[in-house]
Amino acid sequence: MDEHDQIERWRRRIDEVDRAIVELLNERSRCALAIGAVKRLMGRAVYDPDREETIVRQAVEANAGPMGDDAVRRLFERILDESRRTERLAAEAAVDAAAGETDPE
């Protein structure tokens, strides 16, 4: 196998891994949305900074490299930012839907 073939093989593997990452991120998002919905029903705050720090810490502790711990921390902080954004948008959509149900027009 020549170098070009090796590069293409590794690129195909990266593409596979990227698809798996997207699937896992969406599964994670579905879980977070479900938790947020339950918290709202319970009257609890959706945002929990202590839980977020625990998530980041656990991700860093699970890191075996070659990415550095700072990189893992930044990635998980970004994942959590996007999770909060997704939850906020879902909550706004639920409010809008509820308002539409009671709208006399």
Side-chain angles (χ1 to χ4, degrees), residues 10-78:
W10 284 114
R11 285 180 175 165
R12 282 192 302 274
R13 180 64 184 135
I14 286 173
D15 291 345
E16 292 170 6
V17 170
D18 288 347
R19 282 189 294 277
I21 290 169
V22 170
E23 289 175 23
L24 289 170
L25 287 171
N26 279 307
E27 176 62 20
R28 187 191 189 289
S29 184
R30 285 187 285 276
C31 293
L33 287 168
I35 290 169
V38 172
K39 282 183 172 183
R40 280 189 293 283
L41 287 173
M42 295 171 62
R44 290 178 52 187
V46 174
Y47 176 61
D48 184 348
D50 291 335
R51 172 65 180 147
E52 289 193 7
E53 182 52 38
T54 298
I55 291 167
V56 172
R57 187 184 73 251
Q58 288 173 343
V60 169
E61 288 172 357
N63 182 34
M67 285 191 347
D69 289 350
D70 288 343
V72 171
R73 176 175 287 282
R74 285 190 305 273
L75 286 170
F76 270 82
E77 287 171 348
R78 182 64 186 180

Side-chain angles (χ1 to χ4, degrees), residues 88-105:
R88 186 182 74 249
L89 293 173
E92 289 170 3
V95 168
D96 289 347
E101 291 173 7
T102 60
D103 191 355
E105 294 183 273

Side-chain angles (χ1 to χ4, degrees), residues 78-91:
R78 182 64 186 180
I79 289 167
L80 292 168
D81 286 344
E82 289 303 321
S83 182
R84 280 193 307 275
R85 180 179 175 278
T86 301
E87 287 184 53
R88 186 182 74 249
L89 293 173

